Amino acid sequence: MGKSVTPAGFSIGGWCGTNPGGDPFGDAVRNIGMDAFLEVLGTTAIKRVSFHDRDLWPDDAAPALVTEVIGHTKERCSATGVEIYNFTSNNFSNPCFRSGAFSSPFPQVRAAAIVKGCNAVDHANEFGAKHVIWWGGREGSDGAYEQDAGLGLARYMLGLKICVRYGLEKGYKLIHTVEPKVYEPRLLALYAGTGASAASAIRHYFNEPAFAGRVLVNPEYPQHVMMLNLDPVFELGQLLEEGMLAPFIHFGGQIAGRMDCDLPPGFGSNVYTDFMIVLTLNRRGWRGVVEFDCRPPRTTTSCQGLTGFLNGAVGYWRMLEDKVAAYFADAQIADLEGALTADEDSTVGSLLAASSVAKGVGQLRANFKGFAAAADVNTDVIEAYQRRVMSIITGTAK
Ligand code: GLO
Ligand code: MG
């Protein structure tokens, strides 16, 4: 496991920069177009950008218009020094997707989602993007459970698989990522269990060798997990351990227990948890990209404000990286970690490798000193660890 910090590269959704800042109760508060956003982006440390098809052209745009916009967008990105990183099909905003997209109960809608998805795969390739994100915004139900939930999942995975196969057949080098979200805009989203259930579905439906490493999970931390008071650090650990984490994550700010806030990174969040996300990634030697998927608050309306938001997002992640570097360099942490990562008892360590587990367990039983002896272990180290981590985060470590 690595003990150094690799500074992350950054990306951001184009849709974040052009978000007009309205809400269901209030009008748009700003009007920053894509070109203006790219201009601002070029002045920051965020050197990658991602798009939905719909961020750039209407869903029913004529092919000539699409070609023109692709040319223009590529030109603007190269002029401002920004790489096109991800491309994605918006399979949720069009009114035809009000009952879902790949998983809609209606075959005409499922077909529309597949056509749009395959178009996006072509465009991702044309843009030279690295990944196609699949966020099933409207997959799920608003409470009627109008179709069998397992069937809904199977339909979702079938649509996705057709799009992935389509790209493979065309020889594109794209990686596909599923972005889970526990709820909203649907009240009962298809992946009720976040990244873990998405990973499980991918393993089940994409188990042929041709798909190995081609379909991964891109989580959005902390928003999509903490919006239902779940925990991103454990999910992240599982995705890394199982090799299911995409080469990038989405990141932003979230008040726990609220609907998707997409606040500036750090705002509303639990800094201890955010720190643990960065620590976990660096401990594992992850070399991915942090893609901001959040937006300026409604009260920020100018390009100057947007610049502050973008620099603030980078600054927050860099601050966390600095804290993780301080953690790696801290002698007290090294001692505490030592106490928390003691080697496996040699009998336990070899139990599964032995020809007979029963024989090994028998030996373990024979050597067992009783539960009171196990309770004697000094667990105070856990609080000491937490206190030391907090002092590093708050800059009060002595
Ligand atoms: C919404 C999602 C959304 C996706 C985007 C990429 O909550 O985070 O922004 O990330 O559509 O597919
Ligand atoms: Mg996202």
Side-chain angles (χ1 to χ4, degrees), residues 15 52 88 92 133 135 179 181 220 224 250 260 262 293:
W15 60 91
H52 299 99
T88 154
F92 41 93
I133 306 175
W135 175 54
E179 179 172 335
K181 184 180 189 179
E220 181 172 297
H224 288 187
H250 277 178
D260 198 2
D262 285 337
D293 191 4

Side-chain angles (χ1 to χ4, degrees), residues 61-69:
L65 175 66
V66 174
T67 307
E68 188 191 317
V69 177

Side-chain angles (χ1 to χ4, degrees), residues 32-362:
I32 299 175
M34 197 59 85
D35 286 0
F37 169 60
L38 292 173
E39 205 64 48
V40 172
L41 194 60
T43 67
T44 73
I46 306 173
K47 293 299 174 203
R48 299 173 187 80
V49 69
S50 300
F51 303 109
H52 299 99
D53 43 8
R54 220 176 201 257
D55 303 333
L56 299 174
W57 52 78
D59 289 341
D60 53 5
L65 175 66
V66 174
T67 307
E68 188 191 317
V69 177
I70 290 180
H72 174 80
T73 308
K74 278 179 153 175
E75 185 276 317
R76 284 291 79 211
C77 286
S78 96
T80 50
V82 174
E83 179 198 340
I84 299 173
Y85 187 58
N86 296 322
F87 190 78
T88 154
S89 182
N90 175 328
N91 277 12
F92 41 93
S93 294
N94 192 299
C96 83
F97 298 130
R98 63 192 179 278
S99 63
F102 290 148
S103 75
S104 165
F106 307 105
Q108 307 91 304
V109 178
R110 298 200 293 275
I114 290 168
V115 168
K116 196 161 184 298
C118 289
N119 291 346
V121 170
D122 281 334
H123 296 137
N125 181 64
E126 240 174 296
F127 270 124
K130 301 249 182 326
H131 320 102
V132 185
I133 306 175
W134 301 97
W135 175 54
R138 293 200 189 267
E139 315 290 0
S141 170
D142 289 326
Y145 297 103
E146 56 269 39
Q147 68 180 328
D148 176 87
L151 176 61
L153 176 69
R155 284 178 163 161
Y156 182 80
M157 285 294 162
L158 174 68
L160 179 59
K161 200 162 178 174
I162 291 168
C163 295
V164 174
R165 270 280 289 277
Y166 174 84
L168 278 176
E169 219 175 280
K170 292 243 170 172
Y172 303 157
K173 301 250 170 318
L174 296 160
I175 287 188
H176 298 259
T177 68
V178 173
E179 179 172 335
K181 184 180 189 179
V182 281
Y183 87 114
E184 195 232 9
R186 301 312 293 274
L187 301 174
L188 302 168
L190 201 56
Y191 290 121
T194 77
S197 64
S200 154
I202 292 168
R203 277 192 299 270
H204 181 71
Y205 290 98
F206 287 87
N207 56 4
E208 300 96 319
F211 297 113
R214 285 267 170 197
V215 188
L216 299 167
V217 178
N218 80 277
E220 181 172 297
Y221 294 146
Q223 299 101 296
H224 288 187
V225 179
M226 292 194 83
M227 60 195 291
L228 277 188
N229 276 318
L230 300 174
D231 181 74
V233 183
F234 282 105
E235 181 187 289
L236 178 62
Q238 178 172 351
L239 293 174
L240 282 162
E241 180 69 18
E242 297 182 351
M244 292 302 291
L245 186 69
F248 69 97
I249 63 166
H250 277 178
F251 194 70
Q254 175 69 27
I255 301 171
R258 304 289 158 146
M259 289 180 96
D260 198 2
C261 298
D262 285 337
L263 289 165
F267 285 27
S269 301
N270 176 337
V271 186
Y272 197 101
T273 305
D274 287 349
F275 169 88
M276 283 296 164
I277 291 171
V278 183
L279 174 64
T280 304
L281 291 170
N282 279 284
R283 243 186 204 152
R284 293 266 174 171
W286 187 74
R287 299 274 182 272
V289 164
V290 175
E291 178 160 279
F292 299 114
D293 191 4
C294 52
R295 52 184 179 266
R298 191 170 49 230
T299 44
T300 295
T301 60
S302 65
C303 278
Q304 201 185 357
L306 177 63
T307 309
F309 160 79
L310 296 169
N311 290 336
V314 169
Y316 183 68
W317 189 273
R318 290 283 183 247
M319 178 277 290
L320 293 171
E321 286 178 342
D322 287 350
K323 304 288 182 188
V324 171
Y327 173 103
F328 285 150
D330 192 82
Q332 285 191 37
I333 286 289
D335 286 350
L336 292 161
E337 273 196 343
L340 288 165
T341 55
D343 276 347
E344 197 66 87
D345 175 293
S346 61
T347 328
V348 173
S350 55
L351 272 182
L352 286 176
S355 55
S356 162
V357 174
K359 206 167 133 199
V361 171

